[in-house]
Amino acid sequence: MRRSAAVILVAVALAAGALTAVPAQARTGTPDGAHGMADCTATACHFDVPPGTYDVKVLLGGDDAARTAIGGETGRSLLAETATGAGERVARSFTVDVRTPEGEPTGPDGSPGLDLVIGGSAPALAGIGVTPARHARQVLLVGDSTVCDQPGEPYSGWGQQLPRYLRKGLSVANHADSGESTVSYLADQRLWGTVRARIRPGDLVLVQLAHNDKTTDGATYRANLETLVAGVRERGGRPVLVTPVVRRWFNADGTLDNGTALLVNGLGVDHPAVVRSVAAAEGVPLIDLTAKTKALVESLGVEGSKALYLTDEKRDNTHTSAHGATVYAGLVRDELVAQHLVPRGTVRAR
């Protein structure tokens, strides 16, 4: 793995259905010019870079009309499907977090470097450039399996889909991990210890932990949230508390007004209510994802809401499909804009 901080630039063009690298003298990067044709195929790119934050600029389009999407690392959606007309070229940029482990913090290391997937219904990549991000801000995510970079389909966390809504200059560092409660997250150095060390002044830290606090009493749950808030502030970051997404658990009357759906644990702890209370007491921005997902799921009804979850695929009414995670990430995106937590220019339209 090369440790050069110099610009790594790859430009490729579509010719007779194949990707062709520009001449070596047009590229900059490592002295041996290793980044070229070998870095991209028609469906994927690999860049041998160390962990860090990178700006990626892509040029989309080809001789024919195309629809191109970009994914990367462990199933992250980095750029939504983008249409280009025949002969049209469109430039898009985004910022990506490269880390080890590349997915869930307690999971496998994954592959070194930056891996991108060229997808979409009719993909056409005309060019790509990757440079170290000098002034990017981070959105760090603390959460559980409903948020994390899920390692395999059909599962997807909303944090896995959030990058598609952000432009260059704002990266998502998803440190959510399956099975974690506020208790276990704080206790594991790979989780809270790693996140806390990464926080820079001005970074946003979104915290959504509740699904696995099934045996956590109310006082402990509240104290743990307060500890997370204080830890973010001590590092100069900006904490944002997020109430948990609902479980798709309907009453006979078509509502979700029950403890299973609304995350009330066996001890009677109403997790969303505690999150709201801590946010109010600490003066912390609140994204009430419980209320928003409840309203959406109820509006779609018993049948329509199945597509948001893995009801049909896995008989799972807690974890979201890629579609559901994308919709829920959009709700988070809307709140980031509405509450002026990120500059409007760094966020893409839904």
Side-chain angles (χ1 to χ4, degrees):
M1 182 179 293
R2 295 174 179 82
R3 300 286 173 173
S4 171
V7 171
I8 300 163
L9 178 63
V10 177
V12 293
L14 282 169
L19 289 170
T20 304
V22 298
Q25 63 266 26
R27 299 194 307 268
T28 60
T30 51
D32 61 4
H35 296 282
M37 186 65 166
D39 294 312
C40 289
T41 67
T43 58
C45 296
H46 171 76
F47 302 97
D48 186 14
V49 297
T53 308
Y54 294 88
D55 291 330
V56 179
K57 182 175 182 179
V58 294
L59 188 65
L60 308 177
D63 293 338
D64 300 319
R67 298 186 66 89
T68 311
I70 308 291
E73 299 297 87
T74 303
R76 298 180 217 163
S77 178
L78 300 171
L79 184 67
E81 189 171 81
T82 302
T84 50
E88 182 185 12
R89 298 292 187 273
V90 172
R92 294 286 186 269
S93 298
F94 53 86
T95 301
V96 60
D97 175 57
V98 177
R99 62 181 183 273
T100 304
E102 72 176 39
E104 294 183 89
T106 62
D109 283 354
S111 59
L114 170 61
D115 289 288
L116 301 177
V117 177
I118 315 305
S121 56
L125 177 69
I128 185 167
V130 178
T131 59
R134 301 300 185 190
H135 305 291
R137 294 173 57 199
Q138 297 181 106
V139 179
L140 295 109
L141 304 182
V142 170
D144 53 33
S145 58
T146 65
V147 185
C148 76
D149 287 349
Q150 288 282 358
E153 297 178 348
Y155 292 89
S156 182
W158 62 254
Q160 206 163 8
Q161 303 296 328
L162 186 60
R164 69 188 297 167
Y165 292 118
L166 305 181
R167 300 177 187 272
K168 175 184 173 183
L170 194 59
S171 72
V172 174
N174 191 351
H175 291 266
D177 195 68
S178 294
E180 305 299 341
S181 66
T182 57
V183 177
S184 63
Y185 202 97
L186 282 166
D188 195 327
Q189 183 63 28
R190 295 170 297 176
L191 300 171
W192 179 234
T194 298
V195 172
R196 194 173 183 280
R198 285 199 60 176
I199 299 170
R200 301 174 306 210
D203 285 343
L204 287 180
V205 183
L206 275 57
V207 177
Q208 186 217 281
L209 286 167
H211 278 84
N212 300 300
D213 280 280
K214 298 172 184 177
T215 60
T216 309
D217 64 82
T220 301
Y221 184 65
R222 184 183 188 92
N224 288 344
L225 292 176
E226 292 170 344
T227 297
L228 290 163
V229 167
V232 173
R233 284 174 165 168
E234 286 168 2
R235 296 284 297 177
R238 298 192 294 158
V240 179
L241 292 179
V242 183
T243 59
V245 300
V246 295
R247 295 189 179 97
R248 185 189 162 277
W249 197 265
F250 281 94
N251 297 323
D253 63 0
T255 70
L256 300 180
D257 296 323
N258 60 77
T260 299
L262 301 181
L263 283 297
V264 179
N265 74 8
L267 301 178
V269 179
D270 185 332
H271 292 104
V274 176
V275 176
R276 295 177 189 120
S277 175
V278 172
E282 298 290 331
V284 173
L286 173 74
I287 296 178
D288 198 341
L289 208 49
T290 305
K292 291 186 173 298
T293 55
K294 177 180 185 292
L296 177 60
V297 170
E298 287 181 341
S299 72
L300 292 172
V302 174
E303 289 302 316
S305 62
K306 286 181 178 179
L308 297 173
Y309 292 83
L310 297 174
T311 305
D312 291 333
E313 299 90 339
K314 298 289 184 177
R315 296 183 181 178
D316 186 337
N317 292 298
T318 296
H319 297 97
T320 48
S321 63
H323 167 66
T326 301
V327 172
Y328 288 178
L331 297 177
V332 174
R333 173 254 178 233
D334 292 348
E335 283 300 297
L336 292 176
V337 173
Q339 298 190 41
H340 306 290
L341 295 171
V342 297
R344 185 174 293 273
T346 62
V347 179
R348 299 186 194 279
R350 284 229 269 162

